Amino acid sequence: MPTEQNDPGTIEFPPVPAPDEQASREAVARQAQLTKPAGSLGRLEELGVWFAARQGVCPPHPPARARVVVFAGDHGIAQHGVSAYPPEVTGQMVSNFLSGGAAVNVLASHAGATVRVVDMSVTVDTPPVVSAHKVRRGSGAIDREDALTDEEVRAAVQAGRTIADEEVDSGADLLIAGDMGIGNTTPAAVLISLLTGTEPVAVVGRGTGIDDQAWMRKTAAIRDALRRARKVHNDPIALLRTATGADIAALAGFLAQAAVRKTPVMLDGVVVGAAALVAEELAPGARQWWLAGHRSAEPGGPLVLQHLDLEPVLDMRLRLGEGSGALTALPVLTAAVKVLGEMATFDEAGVAGEAGA
């Protein structure tokens, strides 16, 4: 059941449960009995064991109700030339998601997942089906002002928690976090640089495909935002308020709460990864419930994975966001689970096992 908060003004997550070690051991033992040389299916074997431990049963069941939640929001910094696309594209893409025309829709259909879009801070009006948790229109330009107020950041994190609870209570057995927001790789780079201790120039990517001039503007914006963010380095909620936006703050709450609810999450790219860094601060141990769908082509992507000690399923130079990389990896995870559950053992198939075993 969802966790309760005694004081709506505080943001506290209960301890994150550990994955099921007994199911993990049983999965490892079953892999050794399947009709193949030990280790011959490489990461497929590891992924099957990983999912068994998160389901708490061996053999595990393939994900039957995978759910993508795309958190959308506009960013004030996008008004200052850090993206190849104008800010109004965010609202237009929300409409595209709802009509089924985006990459996330196509890939979700292929992988057997469904898509939910949440407007956290888009600057235009969106239909009630996506705007129920909306905190504000856009965010502050983080190189010169806070992204959110105290009240707004708490509302956004709580919205992420509520959305995770809604999805788990509706039967989702695998969650995928996605993002949409012109300019959102700028606050993501601020978080990644600060929380991994990396120089900003090593984190700044091309995002939507910016030219050299826009890259210089983006780097300067991140440098200035970092000066402000360093003052609240040790306070995750204050950091979200200062340097992100309602969409990223909600993502952090969503990822933390999914772990509290013992529900596995497939992470997507650099924006979701940046939110995950903060979510791990909010709910230590949450990363045990996350699987990295892919290695983002953005320079900050590998830094996130290294910091969280996550190995990606795929590396295909993707940088779209939306949940697209995680959805591309979902069929691989499903295949791994089916191998563990449906492949015959040596005894069942009447095949001789390893000599001397």
Side-chain angles (χ1 to χ4, degrees):
M1 293 296 294
T3 54
E4 297 292 338
Q5 288 182 288
N6 295 324
D7 180 357
T10 64
I11 300 288
E12 293 182 358
F13 289 83
V16 174
D20 191 316
E21 284 296 327
Q22 179 62 29
S24 178
R25 288 190 293 269
E26 291 176 5
V28 170
R30 180 172 171 81
Q31 287 285 5
Q33 298 165 9
L34 301 180
T35 48
K36 58 177 173 55
S40 59
L41 285 178
R43 281 217 72 204
L44 286 181
E45 298 184 21
E46 297 172 10
L47 292 173
V49 172
W50 186 91
F51 203 66
R54 275 71 193 170
Q55 272 198 351
V57 64
C58 180
H61 310 291
R65 297 192 64 180
R67 182 71 154 167
V68 188
V69 182
V70 181
F71 291 84
D74 277 305
H75 294 265
I77 198 67
Q79 301 287 346
H80 300 283
V82 299
S83 175
Y85 287 81
E88 55 264 30
V89 167
T90 302
Q92 293 165 356
M93 281 301 299
V94 169
S95 297
N96 193 27
F97 295 144
L98 293 176
S99 64
V104 64
N105 303 107
V106 176
L107 291 168
S109 177
H110 169 68
T114 56
V115 179
R116 175 182 181 180
V117 184
V118 178
D119 170 7
M120 292 302 306
S121 53
V122 179
T123 56
V124 299
D125 289 333
T126 56
V129 69
V130 300
S131 61
H133 295 284
K134 190 164 186 168
V135 168
R136 60 180 281 170
R137 292 171 176 263
S139 65
I142 58 173
D143 60 340
R144 61 201 73 187
E145 60 184 330
D146 284 355
L148 304 166
T149 66
D150 283 334
E151 182 179 357
E152 288 165 348
V153 71
R154 294 176 187 281
V157 173
Q158 183 58 34
R161 298 181 71 170
T162 299
I163 291 163
D165 284 334
E166 290 171 354
E167 296 302 331
V168 174
D169 291 340
S170 296
D173 54 3
L174 175 71
L175 294 173
I176 291 175
D179 67 276
M180 177 62 222
I182 298 303
N184 64 5
T185 59
T186 298
V190 173
L191 291 180
I192 294 168
S193 175
L194 184 63
L195 295 176
T196 66
T198 305
E199 288 297 319
V201 71
V203 178
V204 183
R206 297 284 174 169
T208 50
I210 55 177
D211 60 20
D212 289 345
Q213 291 300 314
W215 186 89
M216 292 173 65
R217 289 192 294 270
K218 184 175 180 179
T219 302
I222 291 168
R223 176 202 63 207
D224 293 344
L226 271 168
R227 290 195 185 111
R228 305 184 70 258
R230 286 192 184 100
K231 300 174 184 177
V232 291
H233 183 190
N234 295 319
D235 184 338
I237 297 299
L239 180 58
L240 291 170
R241 180 200 71 221
T242 303
T244 65
D247 51 345
I248 295 176
L251 268 166
F254 177 81
L255 294 171
Q257 184 67 7
V260 170
R261 295 296 304 276
K262 301 173 64 175
T263 302
V265 179
M266 185 94 80
L267 301 182
D268 191 49
V270 71
V271 175
V272 172
L277 293 177
V278 184
E280 175 65 16
E281 299 287 326
L282 290 170
R287 65 186 178 88
Q288 300 173 91
W289 292 89
W290 304 335
L291 184 65
H294 75 118
R295 187 190 311 276
S296 173
E298 284 282 298
L303 295 170
V304 168
L305 300 183
Q306 181 179 10
H307 189 81
L308 294 174
D309 194 24
L310 299 176
E311 183 179 358
V313 176
L314 301 175
D315 188 351
M316 300 182 68
R317 302 190 299 278
L318 304 179
R319 55 179 173 84
L320 175 62
E322 301 179 9
S324 56
L327 282 166
T328 303
L330 178 54
V332 177
L333 175 63
T334 300
V337 175
K338 288 188 172 184
V339 163
L340 180 58
E342 299 176 14
M343 208 172 159
T345 65
F346 288 109
D347 285 345
E348 290 167 344
V351 174
E354 182 179 354

